[in-house]
Amino acid sequence: MIDAENLERSKAIQQRTGRTFHLATRLLPERIRHATYVLYAFFRIADDVVDDPDPPPAERQLAELERIRESALGTRQTNDPVLEAFLTVRDRYDIPDQEIDEFVDAMARDVSTDRYETHDELAGYLRGSSVAVANMMLCVMDPDDSEAARPHAKALAEALQLTNFLRDVREDVCEYDRIYLPRARREAFGVSETQIVNLESSPEFEALIRDELARTERRYETGVDGITYLPEGCQFAVLLAAVLYADHHRAIRAQGCDVLSERPSLSMPRRLFLAAKTWWHWRRTDDPRTAFDAASSIPTRDGGDRPIASEYRSAAAGPNETDQPPRSTDVRRRDERTPRSTADNSLGRPTVRRVVSRVRAAIFPGESK
């Protein structure tokens, strides 16, 4: 059982620093929702060590990350409320030490690495910064077939992180002197590092961003295909997170793919509209992928709601990056799957009343627990 005060501390961190994730988290069943607050808070305190516009010396940052690592692994005593709560979640859900190490190693890489040569090199960073997060969440959600869910969770985690990189190009270079757009990709489009550092947008830079958006959208396709493997009560929250994050692509395109002049963002009314739209299509279609196709703002070749992946498989995509796994033939509709045997009735799909209540609580946290 997570200590109540430690849980509230973790929840407050998510409310303050992750509005999009907080909205989606509110729609999870209570047991999984509470664990998610704790995981998010753990990720945030580690991330905050390296995301400091005026950072302390690298040795101090690395030493603090090691303290967090040892506390999270249970090899060091801690009185930090977030780390205490994380230990409870780690023990309850058997989170592997490897995932903790992968995550902290990725944070440590932000201390020493601020440029990446290729997407393959960036993928090594994503293994810890986002895929490890997805693997920990799978431990908490505990799907019936975790191995089938894992590659889709990996793809969705990568998509969410890549969307962050594209949205935050200006912030990353101005505040942290980091560029996550790989050098090989920049050079292929004729975009220099100096141009990005000086925040000079150009047709070439905007073409690069458009191509990176399309590449990331293929990750969303693969990721969303696997939502059906998750417990019913988790599916809508993950689906909504995907729709909300993908909507940043609409915002980026709306400003001409110039993410150097202004950081795109989603308003709260826009988030609420997408929550309602996603829920409606999810209830109507009974299939996460079909609902994503209908609710997502990602464009298609003919102006519809979804990208056609083959249109974006350009020679500039790089090695091993043009071919995505086909949509699994084992993804079955809900009425064809074996019922989940569990006593936790909260894992059933949320009703409209529950969705409205939890969305309202995410916006007005003082009104509801």
Side-chain angles (χ1 to χ4, degrees), residues 63-317:
E64 177 62 10
L65 286 174
E66 282 307 305
R67 180 193 71 82
I68 292 172
R69 183 202 305 270
E70 292 169 6
S71 298
L73 292 172
T75 60
R76 180 187 184 121
Q77 291 283 355
T78 182
N79 57 5
D80 184 302
V82 171
L83 291 172
E84 287 181 346
F86 178 81
L87 283 170
T88 301
V89 171
R90 167 182 168 267
D91 292 343
R92 179 174 180 182
Y93 296 103
D94 294 323
I95 293 175
D97 290 352
Q98 178 188 354
E99 301 304 331
I100 298 170
D101 280 330
E102 290 279 1
F103 175 75
V104 178
D105 286 347
M107 298 302 98
R109 189 177 301 184
D110 272 335
V111 177
S112 59
T113 305
D114 51 29
R115 304 290 190 274
Y116 291 86
E117 291 295 305
T118 65
H119 268 305
D120 285 343
E121 185 179 327
L122 185 63
Y125 175 76
L126 293 175
R127 170 61 183 91
S129 67
S130 59
V131 178
V133 171
N135 288 341
M136 292 188 214
M137 283 299 302
L138 281 180
C139 290
V140 171
M141 292 182 179
D142 190 27
D144 287 334
D145 192 346
S146 60
E147 290 310 305
R150 196 172 304 280
H152 298 284
K154 173 180 181 291
L156 185 55
E158 289 173 339
L160 298 177
Q161 182 75 77
L162 290 169
T163 293
N164 268 350
F165 290 157
L166 295 172
R167 180 195 63 188
D168 295 342
V169 173
R170 177 186 174 89
E171 178 182 337
D172 286 335
V173 72
C174 289
E175 297 190 13
Y176 313 117
D177 190 31
R178 296 181 195 142
I179 298 177
Y180 291 105
L181 294 167
R183 181 190 59 79
R185 300 287 290 141
R186 290 187 274 110
E187 290 185 352
F189 282 83
V191 176
S192 69
E193 177 179 323
T194 300
Q195 177 182 341
I196 295 177
V197 170
N198 291 337
L199 305 179
E200 298 171 353
S201 190
S202 68
E204 293 78 14
F205 176 80
E206 291 157 10
L208 167 62
I209 296 300
R210 279 194 296 272
D211 202 76
E212 289 295 304
L213 289 171
R215 180 184 181 278
T216 301
E217 285 157 10
R218 299 202 300 273
R219 293 286 199 274
Y220 277 103
E221 290 181 335
T222 303
V224 170
D225 277 345
I227 291 177
T228 191
Y229 289 116
L230 302 178
E232 260 191 65
C234 301
Q235 290 182 14
F236 178 68
V238 176
L239 172 64
L240 178 59
V243 170
L244 290 172
Y245 262 76
D247 201 56
H248 285 96
H249 292 206
R250 174 200 55 81
I252 290 170
R253 288 186 172 104
Q255 57 190 56
C257 293
D258 175 10
V259 289
L260 292 175
S261 300
E262 182 182 1
R263 178 184 184 271
S265 62
L266 306 184
S267 67
M268 184 54 72
R270 179 67 183 176
R271 289 188 178 96
L272 294 177
F273 167 75
L274 289 172
K277 183 180 181 183
T278 304
W279 183 87
W280 167 254
H281 286 294
W282 183 64
R283 293 288 294 190
R284 181 178 62 83
T285 65
D286 202 37
D287 178 67
R289 172 61 185 272
T290 306
F292 183 80
D293 289 351
S296 170
S297 303
I298 293 175
T300 66
R301 176 178 56 187
D302 59 0
D305 292 330
R306 292 293 298 140
I308 298 173
S310 60
E311 287 294 299
Y312 300 118
R313 293 177 179 174
S314 64

Side-chain angles (χ1 to χ4, degrees), residues 318-352:
N320 303 320
E321 294 175 357
T322 59
D323 294 324
Q324 293 295 318
R327 188 176 182 186
S328 172
T329 57
D330 189 48
V331 175
R332 294 161 290 168
R333 291 179 65 84
R334 193 166 285 109
D335 57 0
E336 297 172 345
R337 295 196 298 270
T338 303
R340 165 173 287 266
S341 57
T342 176
D344 187 355
N345 292 327
S346 68
L347 290 181
R349 58 164 48 191
T351 63
V352 64

